[in-house]
Amino acid sequence: MKHATIEKAAGADAAPDTQEPLHVLIVDDDDVDREKLSRLLHRCPWRIEVKEAASRREALDLIRTPETRFDVVFLDFGLTDGDGRDLLPPIREELDPDCPIIAVTGHGSAQIAADSIKLGMTEFLTKRMLSAEKVAASIEEGMAWRQDRQALRQAEAELTHRSLHDPLTDLPNRTLFFDRLTQACARARRSGDAFAVLMVDLDRFKEINDSLGHAAGDVVLQTIGRRLRSHLREVDTVARLGGDEFAILLENIATVDAAMAMGDKISQLIQQPVLHDNRVLYVGASLGIALCPQLGYTPTALLSAADNAMYEAKAGIEKTCLARSQQSDDTEALDSKSLLEELAQAIADHAITWHWQPKIDLASATVTGFEALVRWQPYDSGNISPEQLIRIVEQSPLIEPFTVLCLDTVLGQFASVQDAWPGTSVSINVSARMLERPSFVENVLGAIEIHKIAPERVILELTETALIAHPAQARRVIERLRRHCLRLSIDDFGAGFTSFGYLREFTVDEIKIDRSFISRCTQSAFDQSLITCLVVLCDSLGITLVAEGIEDDEVRALLIHLGCPSGQGYGISRPLAFDALQGWMHKWNSTAHPVVEVLPVPPRQAAR
Ligand code: C2E
Ligand code: CA
Ligand code: CA
């Protein structure tokens, strides 16, 4: 490693920063080439500090040295200890996501140049044609690129902030709250960190709003929002869900007593007077509290338990109510060792099955594919839903054999029909934990090869949570799978933390709108607008939009009217045992499926 400071006299124009030297890293295993580039840099019109790395290893050491920063990296591809391009992820992830990286290679071709740009390099230089002017121009390009990226990032951050916060109080909104809650549930499962969810509804707020006007109401909401925020810890989340409803996530609350004490504190904070326009305004609050893990680990269940308790508080004398435990949660099932043993045996015996739900092109009613959905019933542990089964599998070492069995069974069955039903695909659900397994990609590729299936006929469905949990890792896995031509789908779109950002980040082929937006779409103007937006977005991005949960012909007709290309749901077919699929296909293909006459469907209520 060699360090040299190159200083240039005053008079430097267009200097990216005249105060600070420009920190440049050259990665090249050829001493002569490094020297030459260093010399050319010396002739650039800026103060430049160069560090040199003669190998990948040295470059990594430099990148990982604490406090290091580089404004530009010049990168050779062929290094003695590997491909220079492998340095792109560490540079972007560990050093600076916006660092301009300029490729410098011995042999230039249009293909290499195009590949470099595709890989995220900002510029491409060939060693034979290097000159001080070219080097300076590439740095300038790089700096401009960095500025654009930063501006974009900032705009994006603002947009994201807006989409995740309530404009009136600037508190997190429902979406962000739900995301934090989902993460808290995951942490609680993993390491037993207990927490409490509080639903807060203001009392007498409507009276203030009605008698003194919205401005007064707004001041009350803002003041209470600020008060709650400033009296709770940084780790806690205070969100406004809408109207006069707040939700609070309190970390590390393990006991009923601690939760009730916090409830009292919050009530008192809310009851303190609010000053507005020389008036003193008073509101009260009804609180519902749900504890995790006592009430399980499911975000929606916790929220609805807290919500029910809050309604109980509103109706009763006690202004703070605690949600009671429900028997239906799967924690009990999880604790049962015998269930895990039975499940392990079922996997070993291949006694787990997958049902197939057809997916159609809505307008023509042509079958375009099938989604495989797991089915298993233990002998004596009661009913287990697929979601519960997946949660149990995910938390146990059975995840590996389960994934292998899933791929083998589903792809094996698809292999037996793929020739008979050309133009169809098979969709497999992949959970976050499965994606995390190092062997996942090999398992998928292995199964595809064994069963001789064209990879483009396989769609992997990932939920947004799986993408958020480990974005960098998810990206690596997804990129590998895409390189092998598999198709990817985002499942349950809109149900959890929805960000359009990863539509750009992860190249996906399909989006499945969560069925909660479909099932009531004939009655909700909001859901219809959302579907329309997604139709336009997907259309322009070349992504197939799939509606899930189509339960009747009216919904199918409306979706066609809104431009949604494909869908699945009980109204088309329930998930079927594989043996029943052939019969269903025959019947479906020999029946007409006219679109019912319901257009246009007026929103029955503009419910959100
Ligand atoms: P999902 O991926 O969103 O699958 C769609 C679910 O909606 C299925 O529930 C399906 O039976 C149900 N469904 C389909 N059409 C309709 C409809 O018109 N109305 C209603 N109300 N429901 C409909 P299911 O089979 O209970 O599966 C639940 C979830 O379990 C799946 O949700 C998926 O997340 C997970 N899952 C199922 N099989 C697997 C698997 O093999 N691997 C993984 N990782 N997850 C799986
Ligand atoms: Ca799915
Ligand atoms: Ca889904």
Side-chain angles (χ1 to χ4, degrees), residues 415-553:
S416 67
V417 294
Q418 61 175 347
D419 293 338
W421 302 332
T424 58
S425 60
V426 60
S427 294
I428 295 176
N429 289 286
V430 179
S431 64
R433 287 283 163 87
M434 292 177 184
L435 203 65
E436 278 169 25
R437 312 289 304 175
S439 51
F440 180 70
V441 177
E442 271 66 39
N443 287 341
V444 173
L445 298 179
I448 285 181
E449 199 179 315
I450 288 175
H451 296 293
K452 302 197 171 46
I453 291 172
E456 58 275 10
R457 292 182 73 175
V458 180
I459 302 179
L460 298 180
E461 293 191 5
L462 305 166
T463 58
E464 294 163 296
T465 339
L467 299 181
I468 308 164
H470 301 284
Q473 190 179 23
R475 187 173 317 121
R476 271 196 292 278
V477 172
I478 288 172
E479 275 169 8
R480 281 190 64 196
L481 291 168
R482 285 195 60 86
R483 253 182 272 143
H484 286 91
C485 302
L486 275 100
R487 287 195 279 157
L488 293 165
S489 170
I490 296 192
D491 205 356
D492 303 344
F493 194 80
F497 177 98
T498 295
S499 151
F500 292 102
Y502 43 66
L503 292 185
R504 182 178 21 160
E505 215 140 292
F506 306 102
T507 326
V508 302
D509 306 272
E510 181 187 88
I511 286 178
K512 299 185 100 169
I513 321 175
D514 189 64
R515 67 169 182 269
S516 59
F517 296 99
I518 304 302
S519 56
R520 43 165 207 228
C521 70
T522 51
Q523 287 145 55
S524 159
F526 177 80
D527 293 349
Q528 294 181 18
S529 309
L530 183 99
I531 295 165
T532 309
C533 284
L534 284 174
V535 165
V536 173
L537 180 84
C538 288
D539 214 28
S540 70
L541 293 174
I543 295 173
T544 307
L545 187 63
V546 180
E548 290 194 303
I550 302 177
E551 294 192 349
D552 54 46
D553 283 349

Side-chain angles (χ1 to χ4, degrees), residues 378-443:
Y379 275 114
D380 45 24
S381 305
N383 275 348
I384 285 202
S385 71
E387 277 121 335
Q388 282 177 316
L389 174 63
I390 296 300
R391 275 201 296 276
I392 295 170
V393 165
E394 282 192 322
Q395 289 170 65
S396 73
L398 295 176
I399 184 161
E400 183 85 30
F402 176 87
T403 308
V404 171
L405 177 65
C406 168
L407 292 165
D408 189 50
T409 310
V410 174
L411 295 178
Q413 290 176 335
F414 186 68
S416 67
V417 294
Q418 61 175 347
D419 293 338
W421 302 332
T424 58
S425 60
V426 60
S427 294
I428 295 176
N429 289 286
V430 179
S431 64
R433 287 283 163 87
M434 292 177 184
L435 203 65
E436 278 169 25
R437 312 289 304 175
S439 51
F440 180 70
V441 177
E442 271 66 39
N443 287 341

